[in-house]
Amino acid sequence: MKITSVENDRVKNYARLKEKKYRDQKGVFLVEGDHLVEEAYKANLIDEILLLEERECPYELPVVYVTEEILKKLTMMETHSTIMALCHKKEMNKDLGNHLLLLDEIQDPGNLGTIIRSSKAFNINTIILGNKCCDLYNPKVIRSTQGMAFHMNIISADLKELIPNLKKEQIPIFGTKVDGGIDICTLSNSQKEKYALVMGNEGNGISSDILNLCDKYLYIPMNQEVESLNVGVATSILLYELNRR
C-alpha cells in the first residue's frame, strides 16, 4: 500500500495517536526511528510499518509506503525518521514477581523513561504506575526508555488498594525518607530478596497516604549541601543498590 496525501483518512488516524485519548481508545501507538522500531519488532508489538516510499523494508510485516510530507506530519521529533511503526499495547503479566517498583504520581515523561530504563537494567520484575502518573505510551516516554518499555512488565493500579494486597503476600514496602530512614547501602542480601520500592512525585515526593503504608524507609547517603536528587537519578541509585549482592 502507498499513501501520498496528508489528507488521507488513514494518515489522519495515525496523527490522532499523538493524543493519549486516541491511543487509549484504539489500544495502539506509533514509534519512530530504526532503534525503537527494532525493539518493538523484538517484542512482537508491530501491526504495520510506515516507510518512506523509496526505502526497502527490513521486516517481513505489512508495509504502508508514505511520502516525506506524511512523515513530517506524524513525527514528534525535530527531524523525522524514514521509518515508523504502528504498534499494539503490550499485554501485562499478572505474575508481578518479587522485585517491584511502585510509582506515585511521576509526571515528567523524561523521568518516567529514565526510571523504566534503569528498572530493566537492575532487574525489576514489574513497574506499577499509580494514579496521575504520566502516560506510558507518551512518545517522549517511549523515546526516553530507548525501547526498554517494550520488554518490561508495566501495569497501572491504585497504590492505596494494591499495597495492602502486596503486604498479604509478605512483600515488604520500601519508601524513601531523608529523616528516619535506613541507609540503602546497609541492607542485607536477605532484605533485598523481595520488596516493593515506592518512588514519589517530582515536587512533592511520596504522598502521605502512601508513605504511611510503607514498612521501611530508605535514604541515599550523600553530600549534605545537596538537598535532593532528581527522581530518575535517585531511583536508578536505589535500584542499583537493591540489585547489588
Side-chain angles (χ1 to χ4, degrees), residues 96 100 102-104 128-131 155-169 171 173 196 198 207 209-214:
L96 302 183
L100 313 180
L102 282 54
L103 301 180
D104 183 26
I128 297 96
L129 303 178
N131 298 337
I155 66 173
S156 296
D158 186 319
L159 299 186
K160 287 188 285 188
E161 295 178 3
L162 175 70
I163 288 175
N165 292 327
L166 296 179
K167 287 175 176 279
K168 291 176 184 177
E169 299 295 325
I171 297 178
I173 311 300
V198 185
S207 58
D209 289 347
I210 302 300
L211 200 61
N212 291 334
L213 293 173
C214 295

Side-chain angles (χ1 to χ4, degrees), residues 23-237:
R23 296 194 294 268
D24 289 344
Q25 284 177 9
K26 300 298 182 181
V28 295
F29 62 101
L30 285 175
V31 299
E32 54 185 309
D34 287 280
H35 178 69
L36 287 179
V37 170
E38 181 180 1
E39 293 300 328
Y41 176 76
K42 291 176 184 175
N44 296 313
L45 297 179
I46 297 178
D47 293 334
E48 63 187 25
I49 299 288
L50 281 66
L51 203 63
L52 186 63
E53 48 193 340
E54 65 263 20
R55 183 173 167 178
E56 190 173 319
C57 185
Y59 308 105
E60 293 185 6
L61 290 167
V63 182
V64 178
Y65 290 99
V66 296
T67 63
E68 187 169 0
E69 186 180 11
I70 290 172
L71 289 173
K72 286 180 180 178
K73 180 181 177 68
L74 300 180
T75 187
M76 293 286 283
M77 300 189 295
E78 289 184 9
T79 304
H80 70 82
S81 175
T82 58
I83 186 170
M84 302 180 78
L86 180 69
C87 302
H88 55 268
K89 293 185 177 183
K90 180 179 169 63
E91 290 186 13
M92 302 309 156
N93 186 348
K94 294 181 180 180
D95 180 7
L96 302 183
N98 290 331
H99 298 155
L100 313 180
L101 178 62
L102 282 54
L103 301 180
D104 183 26
E105 298 189 25
I106 300 296
Q107 295 177 343
D108 181 82
N111 284 337
L112 180 55
T114 296
I115 289 168
I116 292 170
R117 195 174 178 189
S118 293
S119 296
K120 181 63 176 178
F122 300 124
N123 298 310
I124 288 294
N125 300 128
T126 301
I127 298 172
I128 297 96
L129 303 178
N131 298 337
K132 300 182 183 178
C133 273
C134 178
D135 177 32
L136 172 61
Y137 294 98
N138 180 307
K140 292 181 180 178
V141 174
I142 296 297
R143 288 200 300 274
S144 295
T145 72
Q146 289 292 299
M148 292 303 100
F150 307 145
H151 307 292
M152 287 290 303
N153 191 41
I154 306 174
I155 66 173
S156 296
D158 186 319
L159 299 186
K160 287 188 285 188
E161 295 178 3
L162 175 70
I163 288 175
N165 292 327
L166 296 179
K167 287 175 176 279
K168 291 176 184 177
E169 299 295 325
Q170 305 298 311
I171 297 178
I173 311 300
F174 295 162
T176 51
K177 186 188 287 186
V178 175
D179 298 322
I182 301 168
D183 182 341
I184 180 67
C185 301
T186 66
L187 287 184
S188 66
N189 286 345
S190 62
Q191 290 175 301
K192 300 175 184 179
E193 288 179 1
K194 184 186 290 190
Y195 62 83
L197 173 66
V198 185
M199 297 301 295
N201 173 266
E202 288 87 348
N204 302 316
I206 301 172
S207 58
S208 58
D209 289 347
I210 302 300
L211 200 61
N212 291 334
L213 293 173
C214 295
D215 299 310
K216 286 186 175 67
Y217 303 102
L218 308 176
Y219 76 91
I220 300 167
M222 60 184 184
N223 189 317
Q224 293 186 355
E225 293 181 12
V226 179
E227 184 178 342
S228 64
L229 294 172
N230 168 278
V231 67
V233 173
T235 303
S236 300
I237 293 170

